[in-house]
Amino acid sequence: MQKRSPIRKCVGCGARRDKIELLRVVNNKGEILVDPGGRIPGRGAYLCPNMECFDKAVENQSLEKALRFEITDEIYEKISEEIKHD
Ligand SMILES: [Zn+2]
């Protein structure tokens, strides 16, 4: 039997997908980190790894709302680089 990973919702498009298909961004004690491995503790938000969802999340500030933290341009830059790297 195949083991399924949990379902998470993309903060960009709102689609529910398998956790492993999404890019995790985490608020680790006030530091926003990109967590492709999903191992960093803290409040997390998920994004489909594409620029459309990223742009939507920036526009709607949905990452900030999900993480309850102000996200600087520098952090957004880091996240977009991670998506492009994929
Ligand atoms: Zn999405």
Side-chain angles (χ1 to χ4, degrees):
M1 213 173 90
Q2 210 182 354
K3 201 180 161 191
R4 288 186 63 89
S5 66
I7 302 297
R8 292 289 181 268
K9 194 174 156 184
C10 168
V11 296
C13 65
R16 288 170 191 279
R17 297 175 68 168
D18 210 290
K19 188 179 166 183
I20 52 168
E21 295 175 13
L22 297 165
L23 179 69
R24 184 171 186 252
V25 182
V26 61
N27 179 354
N28 179 254
K29 293 171 186 163
E31 194 185 0
I32 305 298
L33 304 165
V34 183
D35 180 23
R39 290 190 198 87
I40 302 169
R43 175 179 289 276
Y46 295 84
L47 261 185
C48 305
N50 65 60
M51 289 310 287
E52 281 152 38
C53 290
F54 172 78
D55 288 340
K56 270 188 211 169
V58 174
E59 201 177 310
N60 301 332
Q61 298 179 303
S62 46
L63 263 181
E64 299 191 297
K65 285 172 196 160
L67 296 172
R68 296 183 192 163
F69 200 80
E70 190 188 335
I71 298 178
T72 61
D73 290 347
E74 200 183 322
I75 294 163
Y76 276 130
E77 187 70 23
K78 222 162 65 175
I79 298 167
S80 70
E81 257 161 39
E82 190 67 37
I83 292 168
K84 287 171 193 160
H85 183 75
D86 262 20

